[in-house]
Each structure stands twice: as structure tokens, then as C-alpha cells.
Amino acid sequence: AAAAAAAAAVVGDGEEANAARAAAAIAASFAVAGSRKESQKVYVGSIDRAVTQAQLQALFSQFGELDRVALQLDPATGVSRGFAFLTYKDPRAASLAIKTMQGQMVAGRQLKTGWANQVSSTPGVEAVTTEEIPEDAATRIQNAHLALVQLTGSGLVTVPSVVAPNAAETL
């Protein structure tokens, strides 16, 4: 209605059909301008029950800025259910975290990582995945290794073979 009033003011009185078309165009432009993309959630499974949300945050934030870490808890007991969902600001950071942490040992358990099978529940938000990784992937992997050493006493067991963007070498 507000878009129609704005359109009517622009096109002048007596041109209601044109005003309706202009209103639809204005509304469509808001829908496009108001939509945004976010990184698809990352699934992390086979998490030991003793691992906390804060520890996951400390470890996985080494790959890039996290919007959210959601360790899933049993509603009756408050005990970890052994899996979490992470949301990164940059899908390339999420991709690096998935590739690096797949199969890593944390608190005696081998992690499972991947893109979550969830779609965004927020209207106007499109979830994005990618196979690309950040240009500073080697530094981020090293930081994750150091964080894991601090948390568990041992670092990354194996480092994935990822090709650095814009480089011919394998990390």
C-alpha cells in the first residue's frame, strides 16, 4: 500500500494502472535489495559429550568469523547430543573448516564434517556453499592446529591437501 501511494505520487493522479505497475516494480526492487546471502550451515558430528560450545567456538573460529555455534543439547538432560551446527560469515571459511576438520581427532573422537542439510528459515536469505577456500588457508589451518593443541594437547592429525588459490603449491 505504501509502495502504491509512493508510485501514485510519482506518476500523478488518474494513472492508477501505471501506479499499480510502478508499485509492483518498487516492491520487487525492495525484495531484491532486501535479500541477502549467507553461508550454508556446517554440520559437525561425532563430538565427544565433554566438548563445550565455547571449545567448538575457539577451534572453528580459526577458519573464519562465525555468526553462530549451536551445540545441540538434549532438552531433558542438558547433555550434548554429540553434534553441532556452525554458521560462518564467509562460505569459503566454512569450506576450509569442513575440509580441514573432517576426520580430525578431538577428545578421542573422530569428527565428521559437512554442509548441513538445512535450508535457511529466514525469508529473503539464500544459503550458499562453495568449494573455494580463503587465500590465507595455510595460516588459518596453522591457527586451528595451535588452537587444537591448546584444547586437547595434540594438534591436527592430518592436514588436508588443499590447493591454495592463486598458487601452484599444495598446502
Side-chain angles (χ1 to χ4, degrees), residues 33-170:
S35 68
R36 67 182 178 95
K37 294 182 179 190
E38 72 177 20
S39 178
Q40 173 70 24
K41 289 179 177 56
V42 172
Y43 167 81
V44 181
S46 192
I47 301 170
D48 185 87
R49 307 273 190 259
V51 174
T52 67
Q53 186 162 303
Q55 290 170 324
L56 289 174
Q57 171 85 32
L59 177 57
F60 281 89
S61 66
Q62 302 306 312
F63 298 104
E65 190 174 352
L66 284 162
D67 275 333
R68 184 165 188 226
V69 175
L71 180 62
Q72 303 301 296
L73 304 176
D74 182 297
T77 64
V79 175
S80 169
R81 293 175 64 196
F83 65 98
F85 296 102
L86 315 175
T87 306
Y88 282 90
K89 290 191 180 288
D90 181 354
R92 294 173 306 159
S95 179
L96 181 62
I98 289 169
K99 291 174 182 178
T100 303
M101 295 308 294
Q102 175 61 36
Q104 294 297 329
M105 296 295 289
V106 176
R109 304 228 16 202
Q110 198 171 26
L111 295 182
K112 296 177 183 176
T113 61
W115 294 109
N117 293 327
Q118 296 179 335
V119 293
S120 178
S121 59
T122 308
V125 175
E126 177 188 349
V128 177
T129 63
T130 185
E131 290 300 313
E132 294 179 21
I133 59 172
E135 290 187 24
D136 62 345
T139 300
R140 294 178 190 213
I141 291 170
Q142 180 63 30
N143 290 342
H145 171 77
L146 295 173
L148 193 57
V149 168
Q150 285 185 321
L151 290 171
T152 67
S154 64
L156 298 172
V157 178
T158 59
V159 176
S161 177
V162 293
V163 177
N166 305 325
E169 69 183 64
T170 299

